[in-house]
Amino acid sequence: MPIIESIDVSAVSVPLDRVTSFSNRSVSTRYYGLVKVRSKEGIEGIGFCYIGSDGGPIFTAAVEHLLGKVLIGKDSYGVEGLWQSMYQEALLQGRQGTVMRAISALDTAIWDMNSKAGGLPLHKYLGAFELESVPAYASGGYYLDGKTPEKLGEEMASYVALGFKAVKMKTGRHSPKEEEARLKAARDAVGPDVELMMDCNNAWQDVTQAMQYIRRFEQYEPYFIEEPFGPDDVDSHAKLARLTHLPIATAEIGYGRWYHKELLDKQAASILQTDAAVCGGITEWKRIAATAASYGVVVCPHWFHDLHAPLVAATPNARYVEFFWDDQVLNFRRLIDRQLSQKDGRVILHQEPGLGFGFDEKAVARYGAWTTVR
């Protein structure tokens, strides 16, 4: 019976090597929240999340002063009860945003610790659908100074050369005509048989604006259009879904099962990109994925492939894990001691107990420091 004895928490900021842009913002540094949950028996589980810009003090305060006290001294196998206790404690402070991300990180660490205690890799501890590997799409296509449509096409083709049968690019930053040129270059480069996704990052304000782009995009048959509007504008997602045959994907910053149920009820997305490091952890992610299955909706979780690969492996209606070939955008990978590999467009699952990796303590020390909660 693993009893939670202590929790370590840290907030780190990891600069990008090069400023990188999306449809409506640029990023120069990534901020991550990290936790380590330790049992009296000495078993340690890790959890983590992205906390945007300067969210570190909120994240650490949530763990130190709000959530940690709920977990210390408790049996870690009581996962559902521990989740409910953390959520209840956070009702007034944040059922969304950084506090929910702190719940997500702690919940992930508990699952990691429990699967280590059980001697099983996480995907088998959860009940595996895939045992050895999961399908992945290569994510990239960001905006960089001097990056022409031709260079974008070369990037997408390089992922196909590595064996990926699906790739993703950014869109929405430029005019409809310019974005069509980028999409055409990507499609020409990868060919007709590769699934090509497009990520808008909340680029558009309304359906009328969105359709100026979508009409140009439809002939190139992208596999999905991701996050066309702000996350709370569910009705616009639903209206756009009715106006185009292209699948709509969203929910990467969706919090909790209730928000996702609204998306499903309104038929606002045919692909959910629910992120376990955002929505409430592995516990809540499993609930959301199971609900999506009953609506016939596919789940393709948002980035953090190190976390999501075992979840996709344990979920029959999860089609892809999003995979970043290098650490230039998802530089969280600089903080861990073991990387996932891929072959022929499939991510090879760790077979060691738990998540199969830990934090690289020397790397973490370069960007932040740990505080212990007992």
Side-chain angles (χ1 to χ4, degrees):
M1 183 172 68
I3 301 299
I4 298 172
E5 182 178 54
S6 65
I7 300 168
D8 290 343
V9 59
S10 182
V12 300
S13 57
V14 186
L16 296 180
D17 294 336
R18 186 177 180 185
V19 175
T20 302
S21 297
F22 309 81
S23 61
N24 52 22
R25 63 190 175 92
S26 298
V27 177
S28 59
T29 301
R30 293 288 195 187
Y31 297 78
Y32 302 103
L34 316 177
V35 296
K36 296 186 290 188
V37 176
R38 191 173 298 105
S39 73
K40 289 184 177 180
E41 296 78 12
I43 302 171
E44 183 177 277
I46 68 167
F48 44 86
C49 65
Y50 179 56
I51 48 177
S53 300
D54 298 324
I58 302 172
F59 178 83
T60 54
V63 175
E64 287 184 58
H65 304 298
L66 191 66
L67 305 172
K69 64 184 180 182
V70 172
L71 302 178
I72 299 297
K74 301 296 176 58
D75 183 338
S76 67
Y77 285 146
V79 175
E80 290 282 352
L82 294 176
W83 191 95
Q84 185 61 37
S85 295
M86 287 192 290
Y87 185 77
Q88 186 69 32
E89 195 68 20
L91 281 179
L92 299 183
Q93 286 77 16
R95 299 185 299 278
Q96 300 181 3
T98 303
V99 175
M100 188 59 132
R101 292 181 185 224
I103 292 176
S104 301
L106 290 165
D107 180 79
T108 296
I110 291 168
W111 278 99
D112 184 33
M113 185 172 73
N114 287 346
S115 52
K116 286 177 179 174
L120 290 172
L122 181 59
H123 65 287
K124 292 183 179 179
Y125 186 76
L126 291 168
F129 181 75
E130 299 273 9
L131 292 170
E132 304 297 332
S133 66
V134 293
Y137 68 82
S139 195
Y142 287 80
Y143 297 93
L144 298 170
D145 288 342
K147 189 173 183 178
T148 64
E150 290 72 26
K151 290 181 178 178
L152 170 65
E154 291 170 3
E155 178 193 351
M156 296 292 105
S158 73
Y159 299 141
V160 176
L162 292 168
F164 289 98
K165 299 172 181 62
V167 297
K168 189 169 84 175
M169 59 177 278
K170 298 296 182 180
T171 192
R173 189 173 183 85
H174 302 313
S175 70
K177 182 179 180 180
E178 291 170 304
E179 291 297 345
E180 181 186 359
R182 295 177 72 251
L183 175 56
K184 183 179 186 303
R187 175 54 80 195
D188 288 346
V190 303
D193 298 326
V194 171
E195 291 189 328
L196 176 57
M197 296 88 157
M198 304 192 73
D199 186 359
C200 305
N201 292 111
N202 323 120
W204 302 320
Q205 298 301 309
D206 53 65
V207 175
T208 300
Q209 181 188 18
M211 288 304 297
Q212 302 304 309
Y213 291 83
I214 295 295
R215 289 191 188 99
R216 291 175 175 270
F217 293 171
E218 286 178 328
Q219 62 183 305
Y220 304 101
E221 294 295 337
Y223 175 60
F224 62 61
I225 302 294
E226 176 179 342
E227 280 202 310
F229 309 106
D232 297 318
D233 191 358
V234 175
D235 288 340
S236 287
H237 283 85
K239 184 176 181 181
L240 182 62
R242 292 192 296 269
L243 291 174
T244 179
H245 70 274
L246 301 180
I248 304 301
T250 193
E252 70 178 53
I253 49 176
Y255 298 91
R257 74 201 85 142
W258 301 278
Y259 168 78
H260 290 79
K261 187 174 185 302
E262 182 183 3
L263 286 173
L264 295 167
D265 284 341
K266 292 183 175 180
Q267 298 182 331
S270 53
I271 297 169
L272 293 184
Q273 297 176 299
T274 312
D275 188 331
V278 171
C279 72
I282 293 172
T283 300
E284 191 74 345
W285 192 93
K286 288 169 73 267
R287 297 172 181 140
I288 292 163
T291 302
S294 70
Y295 283 78
V297 168
V298 172
V299 179
C300 296
H302 167 245
W303 77 344
F304 278 130
H305 49 261
D306 304 280
L307 167 61
H308 288 126
L311 303 190
V312 168
T315 307
N317 62 313
R319 181 163 188 213
Y320 282 120
V321 64
E322 182 175 13
F323 188 84
F324 288 80
W325 176 251
D326 57 34
D327 63 4
Q328 294 306 294
V329 176
L330 180 54
N331 59 6
F332 168 78
R333 305 187 80 189
R334 300 179 187 182
L335 303 174
I336 60 177
D337 60 11
R338 188 172 180 215
Q339 309 293 330
L340 284 167
S341 60
Q342 76 86 27
K343 182 179 180 182
D344 297 328
R346 295 183 69 88
V347 170
I348 310 303
L349 296 163
H350 293 311
Q351 298 299 330
E352 293 74 21
L355 286 166
F357 62 91
F359 294 127
D360 181 334
E361 294 296 347
K362 290 184 179 179
V364 173
R366 286 199 294 271
Y367 304 111
W370 294 104
T371 298
T372 301
V373 182
R374 296 185 185 276

